[in-house]
Amino acid sequence: MNSRDYRVWPGLPYPLGATWDGAGTNFAIFSSHAEKVELCLFDASGKQELARIALPEYTHEVWHGYLPDVCAGQRYGYRVYGPYDPAAGHRFNHHKLLLDPYARALSGNLQWHAALFGYELGHKEADLSFDSRDSAAFMPKCVVIDPSYTWGGQPPPVTPWHELMIYEMHVRGFTMQHPEVMESVRGTFEGLCSPAIIDYLTRLGVTAVELLPVHAFVHNHNLVEAGLRNYWGYNSLCFFSPHSDYLSQGNIDEFKTFVQLMHDAGIEVLLDVVYNHTAEGNHLGPTLSLRGIDNQSYYYLMEDDPRYYNDFTGTGNALELRHANVLRMVTDSLRYWVEEMGVDGFRFDLATTLARVNGEYSEQANFLDAVAQDPLLSTVKLIAEPWDTGEGGYQVGNFPPPWAEWNDRYRDCLRRFWRGDPGQLPELASRLSGSSDIYERRGRRPWASVNYVTTHDGFTLQDLVSYDHKHNEANLEDNRDGMDENLSWNGGVEGPTDDDAINRLRRRQRRNLLASLLISQGLPLILAGDEIGNTQHGNNNAYCQDNEVAWLDWEGLSGPDQDLLEFVRRLIQLRRDHLVFHRSRFFHGRSVPGTETRDIAWLRPDGESMTDADWQDGERRTLAFMLSGEAGHYHLTERGAPEYDDTFYVILNASDQAVECRTPSPPKDCAGWRVLVDTSLEKATRNVRRLDSDGGFRIKPRSLLLTVAVSGS
């Protein structure tokens, strides 16, 4: 069948992408500078090109046509004609097969070859030269989909922000070594649907999973040549299509089934999304999609020399979100994942890049305004990674409501404190109580601070307490990649050791960091595997380790690691049961109306209030505080009365010495304090003992005590 055998009607310029209506397919693609656009149809294998059909209509910078003979399952791509003039920002090359930016599914994998580049590799004029080889044989193909899907089961849980417990996980790495997941579906969404996985997540107590990138992405050329892969996936190829390797049967419904099962379990699904750049890289990168469709429109080019790209991300390019149609593509993608794929929110990689206006971050950026006014997107969970690599890129605290933000100041402070660094108490108090110094503006709440100790980017928790230095040799970059300063402490020996005392210390430090995280105001995030002692053997940048280095090791879950898992489960349950640990308003240390009790009281080990001199004493490494149950949660019952909670007394000792302490003056009717958590014990969540009201006790070195007031009855 050649192009003359296909009927071609004008079609519509909307919606963009390939839309099958049950009778035929409408194709629409934006390009303001193209001279002609050809639709290329391929057989089911994606290897044989069946026809090239010039899209007949051009309306409002959208090329479009309707083919009544094309149905769901059809493989396709585009060839776009126009000037090849890199110096002017144009890189059209019709010899290169291009992916539809709105493709809902891809078939096949990209195979690196010189034909993928719009210029001749090795030519003395570099990207100013022109390559006329056909790239179709080396490109994945777009697939026309049937969008129908019957959603069943429970509706989305719509968890309040302050009740979120986020669990950051990798689709592939989470199940690749799980003994209760069938080998045939490991590393896929279907694998995550296994009963063992759902049971594990629900028993752990998480209320949201945050998946590392699931958009279709590319394995970087240099990594493939080195025998490695882009494991993390921060190299987007298509913003509408799930990564094909995560689909065991190649059907996007597998993702929808995963979302539905998570919702049935009361768990929201958040996606880590990468809209700040694409896999096409800098001016020397390949021509795969946007570059060949309309380079000047889609990318943020240098004004004084549009041959080159502004790069705020360290990856070679940045999307031009000041352009209406590029902004439309991103917001269309977000809405698609919410409306059609069922997700509940997003974490935006290098979000500062999305909000740059004329090179500088602005709260009035087009992207932020577009999301804020959108009746759908403004209601889902929006979380920013509030920095990028460009000038002025660090913007922690500066995103507008309703955004939450990853708070790296929380991470660094917790690490420094438990490592034993001096002078940490003033900042520690702010981080534990919700970071009001950063976020209390414009009606933002404590959950604007996403608190974490570890994430995919850096050491795992086990490695944080086992290594002083990174060990990234497996990345084949001579250990130059990854952060040099991790604020870690190995306890005296680098890496694994048979020294019993050091191993006990490391286990205690894990409990200290996790307990601190789970009793802090704000929104806690745990890295998958930290609760079972997962290690990457000192690699703090495992982005290219699609192997046992980065996959979770489930076989070793026994002994101390099983104890740690139980510890985390109980702490998460404690947090969920007590509103005082996840208030929707900031603490201020003020008296509760109608009482003489402060909502939070900062205390010395002797039970007395901290003074200015105490806060300024850089050698202090012990801090206590009391959370008043009388502070209420500012939620009202049906009768309008505030909810009250128990009163808790917490003391953190990061010194290497035991400290003599006294409990504070007790709240009304308090007869003493029951210890709920003592991290100096291997099974620290047991009700281990009781402290007398206004009595003396000793807290052991490098440990945390969490106690609850008990009445005299």
Side-chain angles (χ1 to χ4, degrees), residues 20 219 222 229 246 313 360 440 474 496 528 544 605 621 643:
W20 182 62
H219 297 289
N222 64 307
R229 288 159 59 89
Y246 297 163
T313 65
E360 297 183 357
E440 193 174 17
C544 57
R621 290 175 173 81
E643 295 181 2

Side-chain angles (χ1 to χ4, degrees), residues 250-264:
N251 191 327
I252 66 170
D253 287 354
E254 296 171 39
F255 179 86
K256 298 178 182 179
T257 300
F258 160 72
V259 172
Q260 182 65 72
L261 290 174
M262 289 295 105
H263 288 172
D264 290 348

Side-chain angles (χ1 to χ4, degrees), residues 68-116:
D69 301 311
V70 169
C71 60
Q74 176 67 58
R75 271 61 172 167
Y76 74 98
Y78 287 110
R79 298 181 188 275
V80 181
Y81 293 74
Y84 186 82
D85 185 3
H90 297 305
R91 295 179 179 269
F92 294 100
N93 186 334
H94 64 273
H95 300 287
K96 310 305 171 185
L97 187 75
L98 305 174
L99 297 179
D100 181 356
Y102 279 70
R104 267 49 172 188
L106 300 181
S107 175
N109 295 312
L110 183 141
Q111 302 173 47
W112 283 105
H113 189 275
L116 296 174

Side-chain angles (χ1 to χ4, degrees), residues 102-162:
Y102 279 70
R104 267 49 172 188
L106 300 181
S107 175
N109 295 312
L110 183 141
Q111 302 173 47
W112 283 105
H113 189 275
L116 296 174
F117 295 80
Y119 64 95
E120 291 186 34
L121 288 177
H123 194 283
K124 64 180 181 179
E125 294 187 358
D127 61 307
L128 298 180
S129 64
F130 186 80
D131 186 276
S132 59
R133 285 173 289 186
D134 190 343
S135 67
F138 312 103
M139 287 287 291
K141 308 305 184 291
C142 308
V143 182
V144 178
I145 69 161
D146 177 354
S148 61
Y149 181 82
T150 301
W151 291 91
Q154 299 298 316
V158 194
T159 307
W161 272 102
H162 69 94

Side-chain angles (χ1 to χ4, degrees), residues 377-388:
L377 298 180
S378 61
T379 65
V380 302
K381 307 293 194 305
L382 301 172
I383 301 173
E385 183 184 36
W387 51 77
D388 63 18

Side-chain angles (χ1 to χ4, degrees), residues 29-45:
I29 182 171
F30 159 76
S31 178
S32 65
H33 296 99
E35 297 169 354
K36 183 174 74 169
V37 174
E38 287 181 336
L39 172 67
C40 302
L41 303 179
F42 291 82
D43 67 2
S45 71

